[in-house]
Amino acid sequence: MEHEHELSILMKIMEMLKPYAEEKITEVEISIPENYPVDEQELIKMAKSLLNATLVVRKGGAKIKVLSILVE
């Protein structure tokens, strides 16, 4: 499946954002492992479509983490 890793990351992010379902999320900053096989531009584009928010991707660390969530 094309973009399998990107979709997997977005599903994890969406799960973490459930407590903020009533909020208007404008930006989500995440950290992903340096060597994780992901197309960052595709991930950002998919996030804009699915979350209606800007996604900021940082490389580093051992696992996928949500670093910050900006809400209106």
Side-chain angles (χ1 to χ4, degrees), residues 6-8 14 19 24-25 29 33 36 38 40 48 51-53 55 59-60 65 69:
E6 291 84 356
L7 197 52
S8 172
M14 290 170 74
K24 169 69 173 109
I25 298 170
E29 182 181 11
Y36 201 79
V38 65
E40 284 184 53
K48 189 67 171 174
L51 302 173
N52 198 26
L55 185 69
K59 292 280 195 152
K65 296 182 202 173
I69 302 165

Side-chain angles (χ1 to χ4, degrees), residues 6-58:
E6 291 84 356
L7 197 52
S8 172
I9 290 172
L10 285 176
M11 296 308 285
K12 289 177 185 175
I13 293 169
M14 290 170 74
E15 186 66 31
M16 290 180 220
L17 295 179
K18 275 187 179 179
Y20 303 94
E22 300 299 314
E23 304 290 338
K24 169 69 173 109
I25 298 170
T26 58
E27 182 179 287
V28 179
E29 182 181 11
I30 66 167
S31 171
I32 59 174
E34 187 72 40
N35 59 349
Y36 201 79
V38 65
D39 178 343
E40 284 184 53
Q41 294 307 314
E42 187 61 30
L43 181 61
I44 291 168
K45 189 168 75 175
M46 291 170 75
K48 189 67 171 174
S49 176
L50 289 172
L51 302 173
N52 198 26
T54 302
L55 185 69
V56 177
V57 179
R58 306 269 184 242

